[in-house]
């Protein structure tokens, strides 16, 4: 009887692992992929997609079914639904099937956790940075934000991490001369948490007419009567804007996992093999782990490591230490013409970052997640 590998999450990590296992064409292994979104979403480019007319929906979203249909139908099952609970001792997971709402219990031999993270919910400010919902919900969030960007004359971007800097850069590049773009930074003097890419990113944002407000931590927001948003800062200042775009904070999608397997910040605790500590057959990768941090290239390496170890264990072998990035690489697109980045402590030239990421937001890589060449 075939052994079941259950993969929770159909984004960067989950789809990567699914391809890696299915490409082995092992008739003794069946892969079940569970995702609440029936499309793969290239959310890396969402920061640019909110600018009207730049990126088409079909460039960002690809049906998961089209990514898996190249494999024998008996080797996999695609389930559209949200995970509600798990029992690692009983080796079972409960899923709320969509759109029916029916509940299904799924047993497994090996379990891969790749449900990622989401941006915190802020009333009146749904944002499309993550695939937080069904395909229809995420697409609606994206379209709504795009229309709001088009209509607004004053936009406030809250959070000066990589996503915030990229959002502000895209808006500044397109609208810096016609709209007021403000980036809120909670630090007293540096964006990006003081990373060595901060000075270059700051300079690029200034060239795009983006105003950076420092010591500007958001305390609360509330809608005003005229469709605008009132933002109260911890320093006592109040801003009123046509459009408020929060980018700070990531919430791990780990509610279905017992707290004993989680850190205080709700991330999954894994060992050097990316196996969940306290289990024998549960693995995790991506934002759900966020170790050493959340990031696309880190997720890619972790997905490859999990796939390799699942394959080894299925063959009765011992897992190996999952290889991480040799150096931490951070690449930030600042508008459609420039960028800032580093490899370890080495600063990368703006042109190099633009060529690697900023020129296309790596949309050329989407095909690899559809045809399986990513794995």
């Amino acid at each position: 009887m075939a052994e079941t590998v259950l993969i929770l999450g159909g984004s960067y990590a989950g789809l990567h692992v699914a391809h890696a296992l299915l490409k082995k064409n092992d008739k003794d292994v069946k892969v079940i992929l569970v995702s609440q979104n029936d499309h793969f979403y290239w959310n890396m480019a969402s920061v640019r997609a909110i600018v009207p007319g730049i990126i088409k929906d079909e460039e960002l979203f690809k049906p998961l079914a089209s990514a898996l249909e190249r494999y024998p139908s008996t080797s996999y099952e695609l389930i559209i639904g949200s995970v509600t609970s798990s029992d690692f001792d009983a080796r079972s997971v409960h899923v709320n099937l969509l759109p029916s709402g029916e509940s299904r219990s799924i047993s497994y031999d090996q379990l891969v956790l790749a449900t990622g993270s989401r941006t915190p919910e802020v009333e009146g400010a749904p944002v499309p940075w993550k695939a937080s919902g069904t395909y229809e919900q995420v697409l609606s969030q994206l379209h709504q934000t795009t229309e709001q960007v088009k209509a607004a004359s004053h936009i406030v971007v809250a959070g000066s991490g990589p996503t915030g800097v990229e959002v502000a850069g895209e808006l500044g590049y397109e609208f810096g001369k016609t709209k007021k773009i403000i980036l809120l930074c909670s630090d007293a003097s540096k964006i990006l948490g003081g990373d060595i890419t901060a000075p270059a990113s700051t300079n690029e944002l200034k060239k795009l007419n983006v105003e950076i407000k420092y010591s500007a931590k958001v305390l609360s927001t509330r809608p005003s009567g005229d469709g605008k948003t009132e933002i109260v800062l911890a320093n006592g200042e109040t801003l009123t804007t046509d459009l408020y775009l929060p980018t700070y904070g990531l919430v791990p999608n780990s509610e279905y996992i017992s707290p004993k397997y989680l850190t205080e910040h709700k991330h999954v605790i894994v060992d050097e093999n990316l196996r969940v500590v306290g289990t024998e057959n549960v693995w995790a990768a991506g934002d759900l782990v966020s170790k050493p941090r959340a990031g696309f290239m880190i997720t890619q390496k972790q997905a490859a490591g999990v796939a390799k170890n699942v394959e080894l264990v299925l063959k009765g072998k011992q897992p190996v230490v999952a290889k991480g990035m040799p150096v931490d690489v951070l690449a930030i697109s600042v508008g459609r013409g420039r960028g800032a980045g580093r490899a370890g402590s080495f600063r990368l030239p703006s042109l190099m970052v633009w060529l690697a990421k900023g020129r296309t937001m790596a949309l050329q890589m989407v095909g690899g997640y559809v045809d399986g060449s990513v794995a």
Side-chain angles (χ1 to χ4, degrees), residues 238-267:
T238 299
L239 301 173
T240 301
T241 186
D242 296 322
L243 179 58
Y244 173 65
L245 295 174
T247 67
Y248 54 87
L250 287 177
V251 180
N253 295 319
S254 59
E255 289 81 1
Y256 63 93
I257 302 170
S258 170
K260 69 180 180 180
Y261 301 109
L262 305 177
T263 69
E264 61 179 332
H265 299 296
K266 308 304 180 184
H267 293 110

Side-chain angles (χ1 to χ4, degrees), residues 311-374:
E311 183 184 355
L312 286 172
V313 171
L314 287 172
K315 293 179 178 179
K317 299 180 181 180
Q318 291 298 311
V320 296
V321 175
K323 294 181 180 178
M325 295 288 293
V327 295
D328 186 31
V329 177
L330 178 63
I332 301 169
S333 173
V334 190
R336 299 203 298 276
R338 304 286 289 178
R342 59 166 172 77
S345 60
F346 176 75
R347 292 180 177 84
L348 301 176
S350 177
L351 178 61
M352 182 182 293
V353 177
W354 176 78
L355 286 170
K357 183 181 183 183
R359 180 172 56 171
T360 64
M361 298 308 288
L363 281 166
Q364 70 277 8
M365 296 181 66
V366 175
Y369 283 87
V370 177
D371 64 25
S373 58
V374 66

Side-chain angles (χ1 to χ4, degrees), residues 44-356:
M44 185 189 304
S46 61
V47 297
R48 183 167 296 170
I50 65 171
V51 177
I54 302 300
I55 299 177
K56 298 177 181 178
D57 292 342
E58 54 267 30
E59 294 180 272
L60 290 170
F61 298 93
K62 299 293 182 181
L64 286 174
S66 68
L68 300 177
E69 64 185 9
R70 67 199 68 251
Y71 304 111
S73 59
T74 55
S75 67
Y76 73 90
E77 182 181 2
L78 174 62
I79 298 175
I80 306 305
S82 57
V83 185
T84 56
S85 64
S86 61
D87 187 332
F88 295 166
D89 295 324
R91 299 190 176 192
S92 67
V93 168
H94 281 85
V95 176
N96 184 37
L97 302 178
L98 298 172
S100 69
E102 297 177 7
S103 180
R104 175 175 169 182
S105 178
I106 307 172
S107 298
Y108 62 82
D109 296 290
Q110 301 291 325
L111 175 64
V112 177
L113 309 177
T115 44
S117 63
R118 63 185 183 276
T119 47
E121 293 184 11
V122 177
E123 183 180 359
V127 287
W129 319 137
K130 291 287 186 179
S132 302
T134 65
Y135 165 65
E136 292 78 14
Q137 289 170 334
V138 177
L139 191 63
S140 175
Q141 288 176 346
L142 178 60
H143 289 174
Q144 178 181 336
T145 305
T146 302
E147 288 302 312
Q148 290 174 323
V149 165
K150 184 178 180 180
S153 59
H154 187 286
I155 303 174
V156 173
V157 179
S160 62
T163 301
V165 170
E166 291 192 336
V167 171
E170 294 295 329
L171 295 174
Y173 185 93
E174 186 73 13
F175 304 113
K177 295 180 180 179
T178 59
K179 301 176 187 281
K180 181 68 173 178
I181 313 296
I182 299 175
L183 176 65
L184 302 182
C185 173
S186 60
D187 190 83
S189 61
K190 294 180 180 179
I191 62 174
L192 294 166
D195 189 88
I196 63 172
T197 57
S201 298
T202 300
N203 290 337
E204 298 298 343
L205 288 173
K206 288 181 178 179
K207 292 175 185 176
L208 298 174
N209 297 314
V210 173
E211 178 186 348
I212 303 175
K213 280 185 172 291
Y214 295 99
S215 299
K217 181 179 180 180
V218 176
L219 190 62
S220 64
T221 63
R222 55 177 176 264
S224 59
D226 51 2
K228 299 180 185 291
T229 299
E230 188 175 274
I231 307 164
V232 179
L233 304 181
N235 61 14
E237 184 179 357
T238 299
L239 301 173
T240 301
T241 186
D242 296 322
L243 179 58
Y244 173 65
L245 295 174
T247 67
Y248 54 87
L250 287 177
V251 180
N253 295 319
S254 59
E255 289 81 1
Y256 63 93
I257 302 170
S258 170
K260 69 180 180 180
Y261 301 109
L262 305 177
T263 69
E264 61 179 332
H265 299 296
K266 308 304 180 184
H267 293 110
V268 177
I269 305 170
V270 295
D271 61 19
E272 59 185 5
N273 306 317
L274 293 176
R275 181 160 48 189
V276 176
V277 172
T279 73
E280 294 183 355
N281 60 341
V282 184
W283 315 81
D287 284 8
L288 199 59
V289 175
S290 288
K291 182 181 179 181
R293 63 178 178 84
F296 172 70
M297 287 182 283
I298 294 172
T299 293
Q300 278 194 313
K301 295 291 286 186
Q302 290 181 344
V306 166
K308 180 177 182 178
N309 278 335
V310 169
E311 183 184 355
L312 286 172
V313 171
L314 287 172
K315 293 179 178 179
K317 299 180 181 180
Q318 291 298 311
V320 296
V321 175
K323 294 181 180 178
M325 295 288 293
V327 295
D328 186 31
V329 177
L330 178 63
I332 301 169
S333 173
V334 190
R336 299 203 298 276
R338 304 286 289 178
R342 59 166 172 77
S345 60
F346 176 75
R347 292 180 177 84
L348 301 176
S350 177
L351 178 61
M352 182 182 293
V353 177
W354 176 78
L355 286 170

